[in-house]
Amino acid sequence: MDEPNGRVEQHYATLENRWTVTDGVNEYGRLVVPFGNSDEPIHRWFHFKEAYSSHLLARVVKDLNLDSRRQLRILDCFAGGGTTLVSAVQMASDFPDGVLAAGIERNPFLHHLASTKARAAASGESGLISQINDDFAVVERQFEVQLKRRHQVPELTTWKNDHYFPPRQRRRLLALHAAVEGLKSSMSRDVLLLCAAAAVEPSSRLRRDGRTLRFAESKILRDPWEEFSRRVEVVVEDLAVNVPRKSVRAVVHLGDGRKAAEYVDEGQQFDLIIFSPPYPNNIDYTEVYKTEAWYLGAYGSQEDFRNQRLSTVRSHPSVKYEDVYHYNESENAAEVERLLAPLLAAVPKDRYRSGREMIIRGYADDMLAVLRSARTVIADDGRLAFVVGNSVHGAPGSNFVIAADLIMARLAELSCWRVEEIRIARTLHRRRVTSPYLRESMVILGPSE
């Protein structure tokens, strides 16, 4: 182990000794990944591979003894695919006064996904299935009409690439979108737009693979209309068994999880804040879900697309962010610098150096903002639980681990949280990398003075 990396590991060991660290692999290993979601009603409407399990929330609520409350008030600062919100709605009958579930999501497509699922789960509207069936019949007629028309292709090179989207597939996808978009604005329309967006990847030769979309030449293409129809059938099937909810409110705000307090009512407090932020692992979610976002019209230009990327958490170097770190202006500036110094010293002096330094500083700056804002909306006896994965950076022989669980735990202390426990949910395996800190963890916090 080289000297800078050795100092990083020693730094992590010192940090870890501050808190209780437990092995929760047996209990949480399957819960921090989307285990079972593909079979769960409403959760299965779109495969969000970065989600955690639909069963995680119930386990956390039970383990933190929050299940005896009359009402459960939950906030998810990074709503993603809406797993937290839908799970909360489905738990509403366990609480006499129901559930209040709020989420925040910056990615416009994921916001549509999370909001649509949560509202559908909470609606209990007996007429929703009937409306979806009626609207589907309209879309079916309009689809044939739209196929005879020319539609503008989204201003994204990926959409214009005939290898990724063969002309027939592209034409049918665009006709489908036009047919659904023409419906009168309603929850039914939002559901059908989601079904159309969910047909994009199966209808293309693209496959989501880690941090990017990859060209899969041998991939079997699904017909857009048939894939859309199949997904509508699944939605109707799920809504038919969806239990009407009492005393439930579920809302997902299109906004910035780093500023959570701006999206809740004045004086609102939560019993549980639970989220999984983007990990510092170079994944750009704007890029990964760009085809669906452009398909739904979230961006009108390349400038819109770039601005979206610049507005996200600094967990990747795909764009050049402004070299501004707000912690430098805070009373904790010196503490944050001490926290990050060993990592910055371990960054190899190669062409990727500035990008890696940006991730380290930017991610810490963003997570500090998340934790500080969340602290202002937690109840006195509430808890915060977050799931985060650590990541390895650099080439073999000069790599180092960004232990996000430990870094965020220390940032939490600087934000007036008390670290109650770090539960190791699963170990992560990377070729030619050995480190006890390469793992995914759940960190439990309580408010402190």
Side-chain angles (χ1 to χ4, degrees):
M1 183 181 297
D2 60 81
E3 186 177 351
N5 198 20
R7 285 198 294 268
V8 170
E9 299 274 312
Q10 292 171 9
H11 180 52
Y12 290 155
T14 301
L15 281 173
E16 201 171 53
N17 285 336
R18 299 172 66 97
W19 310 301
T20 300
V21 179
T22 60
D23 182 349
V25 173
N26 290 336
E27 297 83 4
Y28 282 88
R30 287 186 169 185
L31 298 181
V32 298
V33 294
F35 177 75
N37 291 11
S38 59
D39 299 319
E40 291 287 335
I42 302 180
H43 292 282
R44 63 178 178 162
W45 289 2
F46 183 90
H47 178 58
F48 184 55
K49 63 183 297 185
E50 296 82 13
Y52 44 64
S53 173
S54 59
H55 303 289
L56 176 68
L57 180 63
R59 179 60 188 261
V60 171
V61 167
K62 182 175 183 294
D63 285 355
L64 299 184
N65 297 316
L66 299 173
D67 50 347
S68 60
R69 306 199 174 198
R70 290 198 59 82
Q71 183 187 49
L72 186 63
R73 302 165 297 175
I74 293 181
L75 172 66
D76 186 341
C77 302
F78 297 94
T83 303
T84 298
L85 282 295
V86 175
S87 297
V89 169
Q90 293 173 336
M91 292 172 59
S93 59
D94 297 337
F95 299 89
D97 295 333
V99 162
L100 167 64
I104 305 167
E105 177 52 51
R106 187 68 188 88
N107 184 291
F109 169 66
L110 296 182
H111 171 263
H112 181 89
L113 171 62
S115 178
T116 300
K117 288 165 58 181
R119 287 185 294 123
S123 69
E125 292 182 15
S126 58
L128 182 56
I129 292 177
S130 176
Q131 184 63 58
I132 289 174
N133 285 330
D134 290 346
D135 283 345
F136 178 81
V138 173
V139 171
E140 189 171 25
R141 293 192 298 271
Q142 281 299 309
F143 177 64
E144 297 301 324
V145 174
Q146 297 296 337
L147 277 175
K148 300 174 184 177
R149 300 175 179 173
R150 294 190 61 168
H151 299 281
Q152 184 175 353
V153 181
E155 289 297 321
L156 178 71
T157 54
T158 303
W159 265 103
K160 296 179 178 182
N161 189 309
D162 290 350
H163 295 292
Y164 301 159
F165 289 96
R168 179 182 183 277
Q169 299 291 97
R170 182 168 55 228
R171 179 169 60 87
R172 291 175 71 79
L173 280 168
L174 295 178
L176 172 60
H177 177 257
V180 179
E181 193 176 44
L183 295 170
K184 186 179 298 184
S185 181
S186 66
M187 185 181 298
S188 171
R189 177 179 180 269
D190 287 344
V191 169
L192 293 178
L193 280 172
L194 175 57
C195 292
V200 168
E201 186 187 8
S203 302
S204 75
R205 288 200 174 98
L206 294 171
R207 192 186 309 280
R208 266 182 278 276
D209 182 13
R211 67 187 64 172
T212 189
L213 290 169
R214 297 193 185 278
F215 176 52
E217 188 172 10
S218 61
K219 180 181 173 185
I220 297 174
L221 298 179
R222 296 181 181 269
D223 178 75
W225 176 259
E226 291 179 2
E227 183 66 13
F228 169 72
S229 301
R230 183 183 71 81
R231 291 177 182 275
V232 174
E233 289 179 4
V234 170
V235 165
V236 171
E237 179 182 324
D238 290 353
L239 291 176
V241 298
N242 188 48
V243 179
R245 313 291 172 179
K246 296 181 179 179
S247 302
V248 172
R249 183 185 173 206
V251 59
V252 184
H253 303 278
L254 178 61
D256 192 338
R258 293 166 291 194
K259 303 175 181 178
E262 295 184 5
Y263 302 95
V264 303
D265 296 335
E266 186 176 354
Q268 175 68 64
Q269 292 188 319
F270 295 91
D271 305 298
L272 176 63
I273 299 176
I274 181 169
F275 60 80
S276 182
Y279 300 173
N281 57 5
N282 292 336
I283 294 180
D284 177 1
Y285 291 96
T286 310
E287 172 72 16
V288 173
Y289 292 97
K290 66 182 180 181
T291 52
E292 291 83 2
W294 278 92
Y295 183 65
L296 294 186
Y299 313 123
S301 66
Q302 286 292 340
E303 184 179 4
D304 291 344
F305 183 52
R306 176 175 170 77
N307 288 338
Q308 166 65 26
R309 298 174 86 177
L310 289 170
S311 70
T312 59
V313 167
R314 288 168 283 183
S315 61
H316 60 86
S318 301
V319 289
K320 184 173 177 54
Y321 291 90
E322 189 177 7
D323 193 24
V324 174
Y325 307 102
H326 298 289
Y327 69 76
N328 284 326
E329 304 164 7
S330 74
E331 69 277 10
N332 300 127
E335 286 292 338
V336 176
E337 282 296 332
R338 276 194 288 271
L339 174 65
L340 303 181
L343 281 77
L344 293 168
V347 176
K349 294 177 175 58
D350 56 22
R351 62 193 178 104
Y352 301 110
R353 181 180 183 181
S354 62
R356 287 169 178 152
E357 289 178 342
M358 181 278 296
I359 290 178
I360 293 169
R361 293 187 185 277
Y363 193 78
D365 199 40
D366 289 342
M367 293 303 104
L368 187 64
V370 172
L371 293 162
R372 283 181 168 173
S373 188
R375 179 65 182 82
T376 66
V377 294
I378 195 71
D380 290 342
D381 58 349
R383 303 286 180 75
L384 187 154
F386 64 83
V387 176
V388 71
N390 302 343
S391 53
V392 63
H393 296 257
S398 61
N399 52 49
F400 63 97
V401 172
I402 298 181
D405 56 355
L406 299 176
I407 292 169
M408 288 182 66
R410 179 59 184 140
L411 293 173
E413 289 185 328
L414 299 177
S415 306
C416 297
W417 292 98
R418 180 184 70 260
V419 179
E420 295 186 355
E421 185 180 356
I422 298 176
R423 297 176 182 172
I424 301 172
R426 65 186 188 121
T427 56
L428 305 176
H429 301 284
R430 301 291 183 267
R431 287 188 304 167
R432 294 178 289 183
V433 178
T434 302
S435 171
Y437 303 106
L438 199 51
R439 65 200 186 195
E440 197 165 11
S441 305
M442 168 168 281
V443 181
I444 310 296
L445 309 174
S448 68
E449 296 299 329

